[in-house]
Amino acid sequence: MALSRRLSTSADSAVRIAMIGCGKMAEALADGLQTTFPKLELHAYDINQPRSDLFHSRFGATVHASSSSAVKGANLVVLACKPQNIEEVGQALAGSIDENAIVLSILAGTPLGVLSDKLTAKRVVRSMPNTP
């Protein structure tokens, strides 16, 4: 089933997406997600404040001071941080992701088992976007 159909319960409902990491790949994904979900509620967290600010100005994202607050109530959590930060990110997010949320990881070289264990999340998928 297409991700858009799984995340949207009706044409009038908003989709809440949390971006953990706001780098170039996350920016490209946010651009596409904004087109796919007209009622997108984008929430963002990045350790680099200027990147978070860019998500606010470009996409209208709500910027959070912590990753755990960004993921609260999210239908989809996009992990777009650096792979070497998964330990720290996992500690910050453990227990914060809603049970029904889908976690989409674009972390290169990070197996699903590691992601599930670190995040204590059940619905985890990996993808490697090919953006030039």
Side-chain angles (χ1 to χ4, degrees):
M1 182 181 286
L3 183 60
S4 61
R5 283 185 269 148
R6 292 195 75 148
L7 292 177
S8 181
T9 55
S10 78
D12 295 329
S13 64
V15 175
R16 183 178 172 130
I17 297 176
M19 287 282 190
I20 306 303
C22 298
K24 296 289 187 182
M25 290 179 72
E27 186 177 354
L29 286 171
D31 195 35
L33 288 167
Q34 195 170 44
T35 303
T36 303
F37 301 106
K39 295 191 178 196
L40 174 65
E41 290 178 18
L42 188 62
H43 294 258
Y45 171 76
D46 195 293
I47 58 174
N48 181 353
Q49 188 62 43
R51 289 301 300 176
S52 295
D53 293 342
L54 177 119
F55 268 61
H56 175 70
S57 63
R58 181 160 179 211
F59 303 111
T62 301
V63 174
H64 293 264
S66 71
S67 57
S68 59
S69 68
V71 302
K72 295 261 188 246
N75 304 101
L76 174 67
V77 175
V78 179
L79 280 184
C81 60
K82 293 185 180 355
Q84 61 267 27
N85 294 342
I86 188 57
E87 189 74 36
E88 181 182 328
V89 170
Q91 289 175 1
L93 292 180
S96 298
I97 299 170
D98 288 356
E99 184 178 294
N100 293 320
I102 297 169
V103 178
L104 171 65
S105 170
I106 62 169
L107 277 64
T110 308
L112 279 175
V114 170
L115 293 167
S116 295
D117 290 346
K118 300 288 182 202
L119 302 171
T120 64
K122 295 180 184 355
R123 301 173 72 190
V124 183
V125 295
R126 291 179 62 213
S127 178
M128 184 44 60
N130 185 10
T131 55

